Amino acid sequence: PVNALNQRLLQDAAPALDPQNPRAVEVSYEISNTDRAFGAALAGELALRKEREGQRFPIKIHLKGHAGNGLGFGIHSGTQIVLDGFANDAVGDSMADGGLIIVRPPADLACPANKAAVVGMSSGYGATGGEMYVRGKAALRFMVRNSGATAVVEGVGDDACEYMTRGTVAILAADVEDIGWNCAGGFRSGVLYLLNGFKAYRDGRLNTESVKVERLSTEDEPHLRRLIENHQRLTGSEIAARILANWEFYVRHAFAKVTTII
């Protein structure tokens, strides 16, 4: 049946849906690429029950497999999705405050995680809040029109962070080739931390019509470190571990901060 896994999630999450006395729920499922927009129905139910700003409904979802389009669409208010596997396009689109998505490739991946596209194109599109941590690369148009979410990823396709208006993104690109073309095109506000960012600037991978590239300030360093520590803790990222083990070198010589000039 259509959306069977979404319906199963609604049933299993029922104890967390009580706005007067929400109880923590933790579930595990196998997911396939025919399971589209997984989590969207739950997000809608939570929106109906959210009686006051800031209320949380503690739901943690463990997934294994290859998710279809729209994984975690619109999740918010305490919903966490942890996927061990791959996901098609539109992961975390319209995600809002309190949503958390973690994507880790399978242990038997045949190549280094940072060389595999583990989430598809247009992931994080239109997100207004929440957090996303991806151990691996994202395809085209990652975090386009982001207006408040936080994301960490290990490589991106073309047009990443296009038309971004708020939020924070860290791209831990071990090689400059892991940064696609036209990065930050039409960028309007927010912060982009970019490993090998100065190389990307020299190579023309950054769209510099609306952004400037500079060294990290002393205020940036603890913020970026917290993001990378979270990424390593949640995903087991080898790149994050290497950066943290050689922090002074990376923060002084390898990272760039990209912000708007408009």
Side-chain angles (χ1 to χ4, degrees):
V2 176
N3 292 324
L5 195 59
N6 265 322
Q7 294 303 316
R8 182 179 170 190
L9 174 60
L10 285 176
Q11 295 172 3
D12 292 344
L17 298 178
D18 181 356
Q20 303 303 320
N21 183 32
R23 287 165 287 159
V25 168
E26 190 164 354
V27 295
S28 298
Y29 306 121
E30 296 283 338
I31 194 167
S32 72
N33 60 9
T34 58
D35 296 311
R36 300 183 179 93
F38 177 78
L42 176 62
E45 290 295 323
L46 291 180
L48 292 174
R49 289 165 170 79
K50 189 176 181 183
E51 294 184 344
R52 65 182 186 276
E53 191 66 27
Q55 189 165 5
R56 294 291 187 266
F57 301 84
I59 303 168
K60 188 170 185 178
I61 305 160
H62 300 273
L63 300 172
K64 286 189 176 181
H66 192 143
N69 289 358
L71 174 69
F73 180 90
I75 65 167
H76 60 97
S77 302
T79 301
Q80 301 180 22
I81 294 177
V82 182
L83 169 65
D84 288 300
F86 300 93
N88 286 3
D89 301 341
V91 176
D93 281 15
S94 299
M95 179 172 59
D97 182 52
L100 173 64
I101 296 176
I102 300 162
V103 182
R104 307 178 296 214
D108 60 355
L109 187 67
C111 66
N114 65 300
K115 297 299 181 182
V118 299
V119 299
M121 66 182 294
S122 297
S123 292
Y125 189 101
T128 61
E131 300 175 70
M132 187 187 309
Y133 297 90
V134 179
R135 183 184 177 189
K137 296 180 71 172
L140 311 177
R141 310 204 78 201
F142 183 69
M143 301 307 293
V144 169
R145 299 192 185 278
N146 174 25
S147 62
T150 296
V152 182
V153 69
E154 299 179 356
V156 290
D158 296 348
D159 305 316
C161 301
E162 192 176 34
Y163 307 123
M164 186 165 141
T165 58
R166 201 162 59 88
T168 303
V169 176
I171 302 175
L172 310 183
D175 300 304
V176 71
E177 291 80 9
D178 296 327
I179 302 169
W181 302 100
N182 194 42
C183 184
F187 193 97
R188 289 295 178 267
S189 188
V191 177
L192 169 59
Y193 296 116
L194 197 54
L195 183 59
N196 282 308
F198 291 104
K199 291 182 181 178
Y201 174 78
R202 291 194 295 269
D203 283 3
R205 293 174 181 272
L206 279 170
N207 185 324
T208 56
E209 291 183 0
S210 61
V211 299
K212 59 184 176 181
V213 182
E214 55 193 353
R215 299 285 180 188
L216 271 60
S217 69
T218 54
E219 290 78 17
D220 292 313
E221 293 179 21
H223 186 199
L224 177 60
R225 187 178 181 101
R226 282 194 298 272
L227 290 179
I228 296 175
E229 287 174 342
N230 287 344
H231 187 63
Q232 201 283 323
R233 174 175 55 86
L234 295 170
T235 72
S237 167
E238 295 177 357
I239 292 176
R242 187 161 67 242
I243 293 169
L244 293 170
N246 300 277
W247 179 251
E248 290 302 320
F249 168 79
Y250 278 95
V251 80
R252 297 280 179 266
H253 304 290
F255 273 101
K257 178 183 178 182
V258 179
T259 55
T260 184
I261 57 176
I262 296 176

